[in-house]
Structures are given as structure tokens and as C-alpha cells.
Amino acid sequence: MIAREAGSAPTSEANTRAPVSQSAPNILSLDSVTLSYGGNLVLDRINLDVAKGEFLCAVGPSGCGKTTLLRLLAGHVAPSSGTILFKGAPITKPSRDRAIVFQDYSRSLLPWRKVWANVALALEGQGFPKKERRERSQALLAQMNLAHVADHYPGALSGGMQQRVQIARCLAQEPSLLLMDEPFGALDAITRQSLQDEVSRLAAEKHLTVVFITHDLEEAIYLGDRVVSLAARPGRVGDIVQVMLARPRNQLTTREEPLFLQYRHRLFKQLEGH
Amino acid sequence: MAPWRGLLIPGLLLICWEIAARATAIPEALSRPSLMIEAIQASSLNGALMLATLQTLQTTLLGLLLATTLGIAVGLLLGISPLLNAVIGPSVEAFRPIPAIALVPLALLLFGFGISLEVSIIAFACVWPIIVVTIAAVQGLDERLSQIARGLEFSLFQRIIKFILPATIGRIWVGIRIAAGIALIVAVTVEIVVNPRGLGYAMIFAQQMLQVDLVYGYVVWTGILGWLLNLLIQLIDQNWLSRYAVSGR
């Protein structure tokens, strides 16, 4: 597959695919996706492909339609024009195959369910007996270092732990596409870093395809295989950067690499320009 | 706060009443607490009090149960579907102000004397606050819950059981508490007006026998009953539903 470039994106070497993307088929394909809301143009002709197994980060200033873009991908809203193909078929409604991790974890867990039952929610209505739901949830919680709080209620957990519970619930539904909407935006810096590494590790282990929305430029570069920068009013693709940093990445050394700083410089300039 | 502090004012009132009556500062028809207690004791010894209490409680609870079931069902439907709310909502508002007691003649024709008459009127009186509170609770639900439910492709029934009911039960319970107070009032009223059973009928019967002390005894006893009923509902709220109240955003 050849990456299609956004109409306004500058042509550059970063727009070419990395090896991982060249061999993998596209799981998600946006073609000239436009969304108007009450006469306002929110997203303007977004062209974007996401390869299977890719970690794509979208970064942009507030008002650039990042969250709206994610809601389109989840299927909660439909585009005004253009097409979004997921596994070759248009997205018409939300699906179990696309999980979404919301930023505000406390609103996104059910406070009357214990931690394990919040994770097991994703397995309900799937024909799993209760015992298996419990076991699968417990196993996922163990992978997220949360086994010891399985029988607590979410309200008793710290923000970082609540967010890990939400991520565990989304992983429990075994989605082909994991959407993350500024998932660490409400967490403190130290918790954010450990969760970045955790999600990075899980994505590699489980070969996840992730679309990760953030307003934190460095987070986007640190996590992503590619970083899409969005420009605001109307939201459109500004630049696409292929991140060639080696994995596994390291909070200290990766962020000190000259390449990391180059990406940061380039994306910063681009975001500043709007 | 120690619960006995709430008994201070009723206790003082009873003492003042007793003193005033003994000093003949108030008409004899107002009776006094000591005579009242004697009369109620006599009634409890011959079983009349127990029977009347059970009869009134039976219709009160049955009526409340019927109203709760219907009220939550209708409230959920109207809260979930804006279309149904637009079609049925105005009718709900039109029926709501009808005084339940005004339905006694109609209910008497339909059911005759007895439990059904009373239960139907209690249910009519109690269903409105539950419907109104349930609609408001469902409409006020966080949109996020519906996003999660739709993302997991749950059916409407699963959404109600797993998301909507648990998230709203804390607020619906407030409606049930209000309805419980109404239920007892309506039960006793129907008994006084027409139905020959329960505490209301016992009151009107004692009045016709000119047993003023017993009339007051029943009045105070009914008050205590209502207070106990409210306490029970509050206890259920605190012990079983507090977790759900957290989500009552």
C-alpha cells in the first residue's frame, strides 16, 4: 500500500512508509473524511491510512478535532462526506472490534462493579461462563499489575490504577483496533511515564493496532511508529512523521536521542505555525 | 448525631399536651396522652390494633410495590426514548394532578370493597413521583455510559440491566421514599372514606363510638408506622444502594 498524502501536507521523506507498514495491509483507511457540525467545518478532507500492527499517534492543538476524529473511528458519529473503511468495510456504528480508552477514567468505569467485574464487562454477552470471565479478567489484571486490587471498587483506586483498569477492559474485548483519547492527559508525570511504557509493551506483545490521540508532542513521538500532526480550524492533516526510533524505547535515553529531538523540532515548528 | 435527639421535640409536645389537658386548659375532646396510651394498650390486647395495622400495611406495601414496578418501567421507557416521551409525556402530566381520592367512586364500581380498591388507589397516587424521578434520572445519565454500552454492542435490555438501572437506582429510590409516605396517607384516607378495614376504618369506628382517646391513639400509632416505614427505606438506601448513589451523576 502506498500512503496517500493529505492535501495540504508537505511532501517529505517522512511520508513514506516504514518497513512494518509496507508489508502489513491497511486496517483503517480514511478517504477525504470531512465533518461539519452545525455549519462549522470540524474536520476537513482527512486522508489517512493505518497499517495492521501500527502505533499511530495524532497530535494537535485543542480545537483541531482530535477527539472528534476518534469518535468517527469508534463509530459514534458519521462523517459528513468521505469514507472510513475498517477492514475494508465502511464504519456505520460502534463495534466490539474497536475499543476506545477515554481520558476521564473515573467516568468510564462502573463504580458499582468491582475492578474485575469492570474488566469482565467486556466479555459479557459473549457466551463465556462466569467462571471464565472471572479468570480472563484476573489474567489481564495480572498483566497490568492490578491482580491485588481485583476485588476492590474503582473508587478506592488511584487515577493511574483506574486508567489501567479501563485499558484492561478494552484489551479484554480483544479489539482489532485500540483507540486511545488522551488517555494519560489527566495523570501526573510519573504515572504517565510508567503507563506509556506499559502500553508500549502491551502493544508490542499483543501486536495491537493503536490510534493514540494526545496533545503532548513528546508522548506522541515516544510512543508512535508514525505521528500525524493535525492543524486546527478546520481540523486537517498538517504533517506526518515516520518515527525511526528503535524499540523498546527508554524514557531517558530515547528522549535524549538526536533523532527524537529532530522530530520534536519539526513537529513543534509545524504546530506552532497554526 | 445520636438518634434520640430527634425525639426531644415530640416528647416535649406530649408532656405539654398532658399538662395542659390536666389543667383543663384545652377542650376535653382533645383527650390527653396518658388516656391515649391506655386506649391503644387495650386495643392491642384484644388484637384489634394488630389486625388493623396488618391490613393497612398490606395494602400500603402492595400499592407501593405495584407503583414502583409500573413507575420504573414507564419512567425507563420515557427516559430512554425521546419519541415515547414526546407522545406519552404530556398525558402523564395531565393525569398526575388528579387527586387519587377522586378515583374512589370509580374504583369502587370496578373492584367493590376490599384490598383491590385500596391498592389500586394507592398505586395511582404513588406512581407519579416514581415516574417523574425515573425519567429525570435516566435523562441525566452520563453520555459516556451509553458510549461504552454501544461500543460493547449490548442490547437495549442488557443496557438497562447493566448500565441504566444501576446508575439510576440511587435517584429512583428518592422517588420511592416520597411515594412510601404518600402510600400510607392514601391507605388510611381510603379506609376512612369508604373501605371497611385497616387503621383508617378503626379510627372512624372509634370516633362513631365516641372513643376520643382511641381515635388519638390510632392517629399517633399511624404516625409512628409512617416514621418506621421511612426509616426502613432509608436503611435499605444506606446499606444496599449507597454504592449506586455514587454513580448518580
Side-chain angles (χ1 to χ4, degrees), chain A residues 106-108 111, chain B residues 137 140-143 145 167 171 244-249:
Chain A
S106 62
R107 272 174 68 198
S108 308
Chain B
L141 274 181
D142 190 352
E143 196 204 353
L145 292 180
R171 291 179 68 185
Y244 298 102
V246 176
S247 66
R249 40 170 75 254

Side-chain angles (χ1 to χ4, degrees), chain A residues 86-217:
Chain A
F86 172 69
K87 292 182 165 177
I91 292 175
T92 52
K93 58 180 190 336
S95 157
R96 302 183 64 86
D97 209 13
R98 296 185 304 271
I100 178 161
V101 177
F102 298 97
Q103 174 180 11
D104 35 9
Y105 39 80
S106 62
R107 272 174 68 198
S108 308
L109 297 172
L110 307 184
W112 57 85
R113 281 177 174 241
K114 289 179 175 174
V115 163
W116 77 265
N118 260 289
V119 177
L121 180 71
L123 301 166
E124 287 171 17
Q126 295 294 293
F128 297 113
K130 185 174 182 182
K131 187 164 168 286
E132 191 177 343
R133 294 202 300 261
R134 165 100 219 203
E135 284 167 3
R136 281 179 173 233
S137 308
Q138 197 71 41
L140 265 172
L141 288 170
Q143 287 175 34
M144 309 277 310
N145 302 316
L146 286 171
H148 59 294
V149 293
D151 283 307
H152 289 45
Y153 286 98
L157 270 52
S158 68
M161 286 171 120
Q162 288 187 34
Q163 190 56 297
R164 300 217 301 269
V165 175
Q166 199 195 170
I167 293 170
R169 185 190 66 214
C170 287
L171 293 179
Q173 70 192 76
E174 298 191 337
S176 301
L177 179 61
L178 183 63
L179 306 168
M180 305 186 87
D181 186 7
E182 298 196 33
F184 311 141
L187 301 171
D188 64 86
I190 294 172
T191 309
R192 194 182 311 152
Q193 290 194 349
S194 72
L195 268 164
Q196 284 167 354
D197 289 334
E198 210 154 344
V199 163
S200 226
R201 174 178 61 80
L202 286 165
E205 277 174 17
K206 295 175 184 288
H207 311 291
L208 301 173
T209 309
V210 184
V211 175
F212 188 105
I213 304 280
T214 179
H215 58 251
D216 180 347
L217 194 52

Side-chain angles (χ1 to χ4, degrees), chain B residues 155-229:
Chain B
S155 66
L156 180 63
F157 178 73
Q158 285 172 321
R159 274 164 61 190
I160 290 173
I161 297 298
K162 292 180 200 293
F163 293 84
I164 298 173
L165 265 184
T168 52
I169 192 66
R171 291 179 68 185
I172 293 175
W173 202 254
V174 176
I176 295 174
R177 243 179 90 186
I178 294 169
I182 297 173
L184 190 63
I185 293 168
V186 173
V188 173
T189 309
V190 173
E191 287 162 0
I192 287 177
V193 174
V194 60
N195 214 16
R197 64 195 298 284
L199 287 168
Y201 180 68
M203 277 177 215
I204 206 77
F205 191 75
Q207 185 241 325
Q208 281 161 4
M209 297 287 123
L210 298 175
Q211 293 172 301
V212 183
D213 309 329
L214 191 55
V215 174
Y216 279 108
Y218 280 131
V219 170
V220 172
W221 173 241
T222 307
I224 293 171
L225 214 57
W227 180 79
L228 285 174
L229 192 63

Side-chain angles (χ1 to χ4, degrees), chain A residues 221-244:
Chain A
I221 302 165
Y222 183 73
L223 288 173
D225 294 321
R226 272 194 306 158
V227 176
V228 178
S229 79
L230 297 170
R233 278 173 279 274
R236 59 200 183 280
V237 174
D239 194 4
I240 300 181
V241 172
Q242 189 79 47
V243 180
M244 305 302 277

